[in-house]
Amino acid sequence: FDPQNVLAMQISINARADDGPRVDNFLSELKQRVQQVPGVKSVSVSNGLPFEGANFPPIVLEGKPAPPPGQDPSGLLYIVSSYYFKTMGIDLVRGRLFSTEDRKDTPLVALIDEVFARQFFPDEDPIGKRFKLNTPDADSREIIGVVRHVEHSSLEGKTTNTPEFYFNFDQLPLATLPRYVRRVNLLVRTTVEPLSLAGSVRNQIAALDKDQAVFNVRTM
């Protein structure tokens, strides 16, 4: 990824299940407002960032033989909104990226990285294949694209070669969760020095919710 000219900050959101739509609207409107700030090139939100810890859930590859006990495949999961890859400068290898047309009422989709494709689909095209988290009642998702591998733990030594995959933040059924706490990363690619826009972005957050905490304001 390209860390130059990217401003990052975090928003901690506490909400009840019936607050889901309100939180969705808040994040959607916030992205739209920040996009209009002079000097902003693109805006995205994510649940995680490289070098900030990771979630490695086990997965089920549909149409593949079941693995031996204790050897479930797994990967690093990021949950991101549609312009995450543009904002972070992560290249598409093949297929397509998430778009604003991918919503809660459209078929669930996922993106994978090159390592995921190489390890789990070594002799076939992964586009159109399906997988899901290995958890009760997990939803199946179609692979629509392959993106470049991103180092997530260190820039020194050998690559980790950990499979990575991405779910679309805009397709998460937040309103159905009984209670959730979200620490959301707001990412802004700029055409100017990133920290020079921190105040303007904070103002847009305050305009939507004056009580919303903002922290860990820094550049990538």
Side-chain angles (χ1 to χ4, degrees):
F1 65 96
D2 178 9
Q4 301 300 318
N5 282 77
V6 178
L7 176 68
M9 60 184 68
Q10 289 184 308
I11 305 170
S12 185
I13 299 174
N14 297 273
R16 301 182 304 274
D18 56 2
D19 287 331
R22 179 184 61 79
V23 174
D24 292 344
N25 293 336
F26 170 79
L27 291 174
S28 177
E29 187 170 349
L30 177 59
K31 286 184 291 183
Q32 294 177 22
R33 292 177 72 110
V34 174
Q35 185 67 61
Q36 302 305 313
V37 173
V40 169
K41 189 173 183 179
S42 64
V43 183
S44 179
V45 295
S46 74
N47 76 320
L49 292 174
F51 309 110
E52 286 203 339
N55 179 24
F56 293 91
I59 59 175
V60 176
L61 302 166
E62 298 185 6
K64 299 280 188 179
Q71 298 183 31
D72 290 330
S74 65
L76 171 57
L77 169 62
Y78 288 104
I79 302 173
V80 304
S81 65
S82 57
Y83 290 107
Y84 176 81
F85 303 94
K86 177 180 178 180
T87 303
M88 290 288 283
I90 300 172
D91 291 334
L92 176 69
V93 178
R94 61 182 178 273
R96 72 169 179 90
L97 298 174
F98 296 144
S99 80
T100 54
E101 299 302 311
D102 298 313
R103 303 179 306 273
K104 290 180 177 62
D105 59 349
T106 62
L108 297 177
V109 294
L111 290 161
I112 63 174
D113 78 333
E114 299 166 295
V115 175
F116 191 113
R118 187 166 58 246
Q119 287 192 18
F120 301 139
F121 302 99
D123 301 312
E124 53 189 325
D125 185 355
I127 304 300
K129 299 295 192 296
R130 305 186 70 87
F131 73 100
K132 61 183 179 181
L133 298 182
N134 191 2
T135 56
D137 302 320
D139 293 313
S140 173
R141 297 167 189 268
E142 179 183 352
I143 298 170
I144 58 169
V146 180
V147 297
R148 295 291 184 198
H149 177 68
V150 175
E151 291 300 326
H152 64 268
S153 60
S154 174
L155 294 178
E156 299 178 351
K158 296 175 64 177
T159 179
T160 56
N161 276 323
T162 301
E164 299 166 353
F165 60 101
Y166 300 83
F167 288 169
N168 190 335
F169 200 103
D170 299 326
Q171 290 192 314
L172 285 178
L174 298 181
T176 67
L177 299 178
R179 184 172 181 83
Y180 58 90
V181 178
R182 286 283 182 267
R183 177 173 290 190
V184 177
N185 295 283
L186 178 65
L187 302 165
V188 184
R189 178 164 289 279
T190 70
T191 58
V192 297
E193 202 285 315
L195 286 176
S196 70
L197 295 186
S200 297
V201 175
R202 278 180 177 273
N203 289 341
Q204 296 302 323
I205 297 172
L208 289 174
D209 183 351
K210 63 181 178 58
D211 297 320
Q212 176 63 61
V214 180
F215 53 102
N216 284 351
V217 179
R218 73 275 195 215
T219 66
M220 282 299 299

